[in-house]
Amino acid sequence: MADSSFDIVSKVERQEVDNALNQAAKEISQRYDFKNVGASISWSGDKILMQANSEDRVKAILDVFETKLVKRGISLKSLEAGEPQLSGKEYKIFATIQEGISQENAKKVAKIIRDEGPKGVKAQVQGDELRVSSKSRDDLQAVIALLKGKDFDFALQFVNYR
């Protein structure tokens, strides 16, 4: 019988991020505390730009956006927001959406699988994802449970389970 396998990835649905951003922009345009303060959130290339006339307000915009992301099922671990920066008379925050597992993070996950996972489970790095294979499907499910119990500083999804 062939080995069973699954892939560990860190991907974000771009359309869901776009929807969350549009919802946040709509809420910001309608909320009373954001009236006449130049508050806005928008795409700036592949980054997200939040701006307002005070540091507290720009942090509130970030909070609104994070709330919308959570409601759309996107992990906040994939959002990397910078510190508020003063630019002229406005404060700005640039945020990026992290995708893909870096080589060093993939090696960390593979080491955890080797050290704490069931015997006979193999993990190999393939680009920005990690393929885990074993003869036993029960071992693979044990690995998924093990990794869900760990707290990583990046989002993980398990795909292509076969």
Side-chain angles (χ1 to χ4, degrees):
M1 182 164 157
D3 283 2
S4 299
S5 68
F6 68 90
D7 295 333
I8 301 172
V9 297
S10 182
K11 286 194 167 48
V12 175
E13 186 89 24
R14 175 81 175 187
Q15 185 62 50
E16 290 297 324
V17 174
D18 211 31
N19 291 343
L21 187 127
N22 291 335
Q23 287 179 341
K26 186 173 183 181
E27 181 173 326
I28 288 163
S29 70
Q30 293 176 344
R31 270 184 36 183
Y32 177 75
D33 56 332
F34 288 124
K35 291 277 186 226
N36 301 324
V37 296
S40 68
I41 181 171
S42 61
W43 285 106
S44 174
D46 60 345
K47 293 185 175 185
I48 297 164
L49 170 65
M50 294 161 261
Q51 54 191 18
N53 67 357
S54 76
E55 189 173 347
D56 292 338
R57 294 236 170 79
V58 80
K59 285 182 177 176
I61 293 170
L62 178 61
D63 187 50
V64 168
F65 182 54
E66 287 175 345
T67 305
K68 299 299 180 189
L69 285 175
V70 168
K71 282 185 181 171
R72 293 225 155 254
I74 298 170
S75 172
L76 292 182
K77 291 177 181 177
S78 60
L79 177 72
E80 205 166 277
E83 289 299 309
Q85 301 166 334
L86 185 58
S87 171
K89 289 184 175 180
E90 292 203 321
Y91 283 88
K92 295 181 178 184
I93 293 180
F94 285 99
T96 56
I97 301 294
Q98 296 299 106
E99 286 198 293
I101 301 174
S102 69
Q103 288 291 66
E104 61 198 42
N105 287 338
K107 287 178 183 174
K108 280 185 207 169
V109 173
K111 183 173 177 6
I112 288 172
I113 292 170
R114 256 194 328 273
D115 295 347
E116 300 176 31
K119 299 293 173 233
V121 176
K122 297 185 288 293
Q124 55 209 116
V125 179
Q126 296 181 333
D128 61 351
E129 56 186 46
L130 192 69
R131 163 120 342 133
V132 180
S133 58
S134 171
K135 292 205 180 302
S136 166
R137 287 181 159 227
D138 292 340
D139 287 351
L140 292 179
Q141 292 195 338
V143 168
I144 291 175
L146 169 74
L147 294 176
K148 281 186 176 178
K150 299 283 182 194
D151 188 32
F152 295 105
D153 54 351
F154 51 96
L156 291 180
Q157 290 90 32
F158 307 100
V159 296
N160 296 338
Y161 186 80
R162 45 179 157 238

